[in-house]
Amino acid sequence: MRSYNHIAIEPKWQKKWGEDRLYETPGAVSGKENYYLLTEFSYPSGTLHVGHWYAFAVPDILARKKRMEGYNVLYPVGFDALGLPAENAAIKRGIDPRQWTYGNIAHMREQLRSMGNSFDWSREVVTADPEYYRWTQWLFLKLFGAGLAERKKAPVNWCPSCETGLANEQVLKQQRTANDGQLITVSVCERCETPVEQRELEQWFLKITKYADRLLDDLAGLDWPEEIKEAQRNWIGRSEGVVIKFEIRSTKSETNSKSEIQNSKHAPVTSYQLPVPSVEVFTTRPDTLFGATYLVLAPEHAFISEIKDQKSKLQFQIQNGEEVEAYIERARNKTELERVVERGEKTGVELKGITAVNPANGEEIPVWISDYVLAHYGTGAIMGVPGHDERDFAFARLHDLPIKMVVCPHYPTPTCPVLDHAYTGEGHLVGSGEFDELPSGEARRAITKHVGGTMTATYRLHDWLISRQRYWGCPIPIVYNPEGKAHPVPEEHLPWLLPDDVTDFTPKGTSPLGTSQELVARTERIFGKGWRPEIDTLDAFVDSSWYFLRYLDPHNDREFASRDEQALWMPVDRYSGGAEHTTMHVLYSRFFYKAMHDLGLVASREARGGSDPPQQPRRVRPSLATSEPYAVRMNRGLVLGTDGRKMSKRWGNVIDPDAEVARVGADAVRMYLAFIGPYNEAGHYPWQTGGLIGMRRFLEKVWKLKSKIKNQKSKLQLKSENVRQLIHKTIRKVGDDIEAFKFNTALSALMILVNAFEKEEEVGREHYETLLVLLAPFAPHLAEELWESMDQRGSIHSEPWPTYDRQLLGVEQRIVVQVDGKVRATFESVEDLDEAAIVARAQVLPALEKYLAGRKIRRTIYISGRLLNIVLE
Ligand code: ANZ
């Protein structure tokens, strides 16, 4: 028999599958349930790396198995082709980003094909194609029409190197060593790691915060891995609290507002018409209000600029104005490095000349400014409660401010001890007047009511900044009339094309689109003289917020996707992607989908109602099936270099998948990556060349096994009944494990089966065929070749997935093991063991080691097939 030669086999089958259009997926096939497997599409960054293989070739195993199970499987492919990475690379090489991007796509298509994936290439989507971005623009305008897109002046994260605004999500925290040797945390640009600055700019935002509650609450109805949901919850960061007003007074005089002074001079106005100057704080602990010993404003707080404003009605004399100015200046002018310093030390300056009145007890407390209070969280001001908040405690200690305990951990509370740190827990109130002795939970409500506080929620999530001052993006379809008012570009002018007369793409702080004469001429021609185009482009995350819908109807030139096609496929059954997209892309696209749902633009399978219940429950609560895009989201792990570090040119540890494919074949590379660890956990797996060779050997073994086939069609009686049982167990295990994305253990089961076959003198043809069918999703080329060589007609990939016979699996028992009556472990036993054997098995369970070590067993109680209780001396 010929030996296994992947070089001949793999291209041969890739070509044949393409010619046979084996993986083109119709919208519906009678008698088949649809299954939508989605993987995050790739940036056309140049060449494929191992990460791409891991992202696409491994989930292909599930796609193939589902197809064999009789599902009509959609496994699409596309390119997230606009955006910074492509543009930066294009600038570096001095070529047009368009040319660079499409060149890469052509190359990457070929590389992707070498994986032997079952992608439906007829549905390929490229976000840089005008046919695609026309619909991105159309959707943007829908959001604009619904008041969900707005242009406003706002401080934005500015990357001085990329010369563009960044969404909060595109800013990373990094540890760096400052000039003075201290370790500090710095906010840096996700792309180029340059520290970011803050700038006030007119920018476009999508109002994702309007959806914050739904994005948060609906997570509960999704059967996603808990860590992904938790990451989203933290990102949204809803915090329930209370806004409390503190009156501000001048320390010196009773008349403290300019209006009062002016009014008394000019017109007799009664004092109740005067606005009482005040500052609002946001707190999650109104029960600690009596313990507030000072107030802190963020240096950027509007109250401060109002005091300074000559025209303002407020007129307070800040006695240390210069010191305050200097502090604010320092906060503003700190180098990018220092600006985001998070040292233990909490600097600040008192605003001398004013005080705040604690609304609970009328006490006057000092007002400070400090950059430990964030301008854009809550109200940008806090009440300092050093007795019960760690940050406040540190601040109070440093600046010698009084520390008051008002919540006591113990009850009754004769005297409450002064601690050397803040007590942040619950307890009973002291020093809080009429509220003394109330439990803190109750006191929160009572005190809020007493001072007229407003219950509110504040979020970490901000509106999504979507305008970029860069060329290679989807043009924002907005034009401005001569008065500067924004108008949507009417639908008939979409796609609103990215001009191609721009020659200088280097970022200069304003979009290169501003240099396009064609764009201005086009705008004036259509809208009139003096009209100007928007020159910013959309963040690429907008492009990717809806691509999974375009796959459903990619050639539709009347709609972004027809409702009928959407109703066949949505929500996505399983979405696999990188952990780095848990909070940005996945949250953005959930928001997009919800907004589209509210605009009546989407349709889903579940909403069809009535007939044919899905064979397999889709794991999304029915009420959410129409407003959540992904039934299941899973994150994959990371493949590292052989040295355990991230693969990077810098470390010289990059594995070139093309070279490995040439050496051992795509099937071995696929199998190796499937075997490297559980796919659905955010693990880190170093590349081991030995493991790859091991996979290749395994495939050779399968190849050679063919010579052991007893070539008769009749059922062969295996010498060992155990092997027959093993086949059925393997069918079950491989099926279950693929479903759970545990490809590694599925492969182990196949290896055990192959080893068992090797020990037999002969292998029944039928059993060998079962092995090939089980192996086909993992090693699609080799399985197809062997299948053909066995004179089979048709593709192995169209074979039905084998079923197993429960009867043959043997007796199965799940034994619960208790130690002294407490459940400590469980294990499975396929055989019907007697008590002694069960005890022997239990004694070696790792989970029991710590309970049994050095102890003597007094007796055991065994309830057959169910429970073992070990009673110790
Ligand atoms: C008084 C207090 C007493 C607080 C106490 C906590 C404990 P989360 O849960 O993260 O929302 N805070 C409010 N706005 C802030 C801002 N702009 N910058 C920095 N800190 C701010 O935290 C809410 C708490 O963080 C608020 O409740 C406030 O401190 C602080 F025993 O108010 B607290």
Side-chain angles (χ1 to χ4, degrees):
M1 194 178 83
R2 285 178 298 126
S3 63
Y4 171 37
N5 176 9
H6 66 274
I7 295 171
I9 294 173
E10 292 181 351
K12 165 184 151 186
W13 286 112
Q14 285 157 20
K15 185 155 169 282
K16 177 92 166 61
W17 296 331
E19 284 163 4
D20 294 349
R21 303 165 75 172
L22 194 62
Y23 307 119
E24 285 183 22
T25 311
V29 178
S30 135
K32 284 191 179 187
E33 173 98 14
N34 278 359
Y35 187 91
Y36 188 0
L37 174 65
L38 181 69
T39 43
E40 283 163 0
F41 58 172
S42 40
Y43 293 118
S45 48
T47 40
L48 246 47
H49 50 74
V50 165
H52 289 108
W53 272 76
Y54 199 50
F56 304 126
V58 180
D60 183 55
I61 296 166
L62 177 69
R64 289 179 176 280
K65 181 236 182 192
K66 281 282 173 198
R67 226 172 259 120
M68 294 166 93
E69 279 184 321
Y71 287 87
N72 180 39
V73 175
L74 176 58
Y75 188 36
V77 61
F79 294 95
D80 191 9
L82 292 168
L84 279 179
E87 188 170 21
N88 286 344
I91 291 167
K92 214 157 118 195
R93 291 166 180 79
I95 55 170
D96 188 321
R98 197 177 269 106
Q99 182 195 344
W100 189 82
T101 301
Y102 281 91
N104 285 346
I105 289 177
H107 180 54
M108 288 171 76
R109 270 191 201 120
E110 288 319 304
Q111 289 185 304
L112 282 165
R113 282 181 204 280
S114 79
M115 289 179 187
N117 277 3
S118 58
F119 282 140
D120 179 354
W121 281 97
S122 73
R123 293 172 181 259
E124 186 200 44
V125 152
V126 178
T127 58
D129 289 349
E131 302 78 60
Y132 180 89
Y133 72 65
R134 165 187 180 176
W135 298 110
T136 306
Q137 293 172 331
W138 187 86
L139 289 167
F140 170 85
L141 291 176
K142 286 281 165 208
L143 297 179
F144 179 69
L148 288 170
E150 75 170 348
R151 191 171 143 90
K152 61 181 180 192
K153 200 163 195 154
V156 298
N157 303 303
W158 182 264
C159 172
S161 163
C162 298
E163 296 233 29
T164 187
L166 301 171
N168 285 334
E169 290 83 344
Q170 289 162 324
V171 175
L172 307 177
K173 295 267 185 225
Q174 258 185 18
Q175 294 275 312
R176 299 229 173 139
T177 312
N179 292 343
D180 60 3
Q182 283 214 50
L183 204 59
I184 55 171
T185 309
V186 182
S187 300
V188 299
C189 168
E190 168 193 64
R191 298 262 170 251
C192 67
E193 304 195 350
T194 305
V196 299
E197 298 167 357
Q198 298 288 310
R199 278 202 192 174
E200 283 271 331
L201 287 175
E202 284 276 347
Q203 300 272 340
W204 283 96
F205 289 85
L206 290 184
K207 292 189 181 170
I208 189 172
T209 51
K210 275 202 163 177
Y211 282 73
D213 284 327
R214 275 166 72 190
L215 287 169
L216 190 75
D217 296 341
D218 290 354
L219 286 170
L222 296 175
D223 192 7
W224 294 11
E226 197 44 46
E227 69 269 17
I228 298 183
K229 296 206 278 185
E230 197 50 25
Q232 292 219 344
R233 280 189 202 112
N234 289 336
W235 194 264
I236 297 165
R238 177 163 68 198
S239 174
E240 317 263 357
V242 174
V243 169
I244 296 175
K245 218 179 239 187
F246 281 67
E247 190 185 324
I248 303 293
R249 284 193 194 145
S250 178
T251 9
K252 288 275 147 60
S253 73
E254 288 300 303
T255 51
N256 51 24
S257 82
K258 200 193 285 176
S259 59
E260 209 165 353
I261 298 164
Q262 286 170 344
N263 286 332
S264 63
K265 269 190 201 155
H266 301 290
V269 178
T270 42
S271 61
Y272 60 79
Q273 284 178 313
L274 297 173
V276 179
S278 63
V279 164
E280 291 185 326
V281 305
F282 172 74
T283 176
T284 46
R285 294 292 302 268
D287 52 316
T288 64
L289 182 55
F290 285 82
T293 54
Y294 60 94
L295 214 72
V296 191
L297 313 182
E300 301 91 338
H301 197 286
F303 187 80
I304 301 165
S305 38
E306 251 216 84
I307 300 179
K308 287 190 298 188
D309 186 350
Q310 295 301 315
K311 291 191 290 281
S312 165
K313 288 188 181 140
L314 303 174
Q315 193 165 50
F316 290 112
Q317 279 302 316
I318 302 295
Q319 292 151 7
N320 56 340
E322 276 180 26
E323 194 191 358
V324 170
E325 268 313 304
Y327 185 82
I328 296 173
E329 261 321 281
R330 230 179 310 140
R332 188 183 307 130
N333 286 341
K334 271 178 180 173
T335 62
E336 310 98 46
L337 265 180
E338 289 162 338
R339 184 157 173 99
V340 279
V341 167
E342 283 179 2
R343 296 175 205 233
E345 194 156 286
K346 297 199 162 37
T347 58
V349 175
E350 186 181 350
L351 299 176
K352 290 195 176 130
I354 61 170
T355 55
V357 183
N358 187 331
N361 54 12
E363 216 171 86
E364 292 199 8
I365 56 176
V367 182
W368 285 66
I369 57 170
S370 168
D371 57 12
Y372 89 97
V373 175
L374 310 169
H376 301 285
Y377 187 74
T379 59
I382 65 151
M383 59 182 199
V385 185
H388 303 285
D389 182 278
E390 297 288 2
R391 296 159 297 181
D392 297 347
F393 186 85
F395 189 79
R397 269 286 165 91
L398 188 69
H399 302 289
D400 251 340
L401 291 157
I403 300 173
K404 259 204 223 167
M405 283 288 285
V406 289
V407 177
C408 237
H410 307 295
Y411 185 76
T413 53
T415 48
C416 200
V418 175
L419 303 169
D420 57 357
H421 60 86
Y423 173 65
T424 57
E426 304 288 330
H428 289 83
L429 265 61
V430 290
S432 299
E434 62 190 274
F435 304 98
D436 275 2
E437 299 192 10
L438 271 188
S440 37
E442 253 174 68
R444 284 209 251 287
R445 281 185 294 276
I447 293 181
T448 299
K449 198 161 164 231
H450 176 65
V451 299
T454 324
M455 302 274 285
T456 174
T458 187
Y459 302 86
R460 225 195 114 207
L461 185 74
H462 291 293
D463 278 337
W464 173 15
L465 169 65
I466 51 161
S467 42
R468 297 286 177 272
Q469 294 69 40
R470 298 295 295 258
Y471 173 75
W472 191 235
C474 172
I476 298 177
I478 292 284
V479 286
Y480 299 93
N481 67 10
E483 288 75 50
K485 188 171 183 303
H487 289 262
V489 171
E491 213 178 313
E492 69 260 32
H493 297 297
L494 302 185
W496 187 245
L497 289 174
L498 187 64
D500 51 18
D501 63 341
V502 174
T503 48
D504 185 3
F505 307 110
T506 41
K508 296 191 171 63
T510 159
S511 171
L513 264 63
T515 66
S516 166
Q517 300 193 341
E518 184 273 319
L519 186 61
V520 175
R522 188 200 314 168
T523 306
E524 292 206 322
R525 188 180 71 243
I526 297 173
F527 301 95
K529 217 161 166 45
W531 285 65
R532 286 287 166 269
E534 169 63 62
I535 55 170
D536 285 355
T537 53
L538 289 174
D539 179 11
F541 277 115
V542 179
D543 309 328
S544 60
S545 284
W546 70 279
Y547 75 111
F548 48 91
L549 292 167
R550 189 63 181 168
Y551 281 144
L552 308 181
D553 203 2
H555 309 295
N556 192 336
D557 56 6
R558 285 161 291 110
E559 295 162 288
F560 68 88
S562 79
R563 293 184 66 85
D564 287 349
E565 289 298 329
Q566 293 186 59
L568 293 171
W569 296 105
M570 290 303 290
V572 170
D573 289 277
R574 194 172 307 192
Y575 190 15
S576 168
E580 70 277 17
H581 291 305
T582 306
T583 43
M584 291 194 266
H585 161 63
V586 176
L587 202 60
Y588 291 152
S589 51
R590 287 183 61 221
F591 154 66
F592 233 77
Y593 199 70
K594 284 183 186 300
M596 289 171 78
H597 164 265
D598 293 353
L599 288 163
L601 299 174
V602 297
S604 91
R605 282 181 270 190
E606 260 72 1
R608 275 179 310 174
S611 59
D612 59 0
Q615 292 164 22
Q616 185 180 301
R618 209 150 279 112
R619 297 191 296 170
V620 52
R621 204 183 272 173
S623 61
L624 296 179
T626 53
S627 65
E628 282 288 339
Y630 318 123
V632 177
R633 161 76 191 193
M634 282 187 176
N635 288 347
R636 60 170 187 275
L638 207 62
V639 186
L640 305 174
T642 47
D643 53 2
R645 286 196 278 207
K646 198 175 167 193
M647 278 192 203
S648 156
K649 285 198 191 107
R650 183 158 32 139
W651 309 125
N653 61 356
V654 178
I655 301 287
D656 171 13
D658 286 356
E660 300 302 314
V661 169
R663 198 159 64 93
V664 295
D667 282 341
V669 173
R670 289 169 62 103
M671 301 254 296
Y672 172 65
L673 288 170
F675 195 60
I676 209 163
Y679 194 70
N680 54 351
E681 289 170 20
H684 293 71
Y685 311 119
W687 182 276
Q688 286 165 339
T689 308
L692 183 64
I693 304 299
M695 276 308 151
R696 168 70 195 203
R697 294 225 180 88
F698 171 73
L699 292 175
E700 280 166 7
K701 256 196 223 178
V702 173
W703 185 273
K704 284 193 200 120
L705 262 185
K706 205 189 145 199
S707 60
K708 284 198 174 188
I709 290 179
K710 178 145 191 218
N711 218 352
Q712 59 184 38
K713 282 260 178 189
S714 68
K715 274 198 179 165
L716 177 116
Q717 190 55 51
L718 285 167
K719 262 182 275 161
S720 148
E721 262 310 302
N722 282 342
V723 173
R724 178 191 299 282
Q725 193 184 54
L726 187 62
I727 289 172
H728 285 261
K729 281 188 186 164
T730 309
I731 294 174
R732 187 178 67 163
K733 175 118 183 99
V734 172
D736 289 355
D737 286 358
I738 290 178
E739 204 63 44
F741 265 12
K742 293 196 182 349
F743 307 108
N744 55 334
T745 46
L747 272 178
S748 308
L750 283 175
M751 289 171 183
I752 292 169
L753 183 67
V754 167
N755 285 345
F757 279 176
E758 277 197 315
K759 293 203 187 90
E760 301 283 313
E761 265 159 41
E762 297 176 329
V763 177
R765 161 184 272 267
E766 201 185 321
H767 293 129
Y768 187 66
E769 284 173 6
T770 301
L771 168 68
L772 291 183
V773 170
L774 293 176
L775 188 66
F778 298 88
H781 310 88
L782 170 126
E784 188 79 302
E785 179 73 16
L786 288 170
W787 189 251
E788 185 196 46
S789 74
M790 298 185 62
D791 304 324
Q792 289 285 1
R793 295 242 205 110
S795 169
I796 191 169
H797 302 294
S798 305
E799 281 297 300
W801 188 251
T803 51
Y804 56 87
D805 184 346
R806 274 196 178 276
Q807 301 297 315
L808 281 174
L809 293 177
V811 191
E812 247 186 301
Q813 304 171 332
R814 185 160 195 83
I815 314 283
V816 174
V817 186
Q818 297 182 331
V819 178
D820 288 335
K822 289 209 178 81
V823 177
R824 299 298 189 190
T826 60
F827 69 91
E828 261 172 62
S829 149
V830 230
E831 307 95 319
D832 196 8
L833 299 176
D834 62 12
E835 178 166 353
I838 291 281
V839 173
R841 284 279 295 275
Q843 278 180 294
V844 297
L845 290 175
L848 291 192
E849 207 183 297
K850 64 174 173 217
Y851 302 106
L852 302 185
R855 306 284 300 272
K856 258 196 161 156
I857 295 177
R858 183 145 62 100
R859 64 193 172 99
T860 56
I861 303 153
Y862 180 53
I863 301 168
S864 184
R866 283 174 38 213
L867 184 119
L868 174 71
N869 186 10
I870 300 173
V871 183
L872 300 175
E873 289 271 339

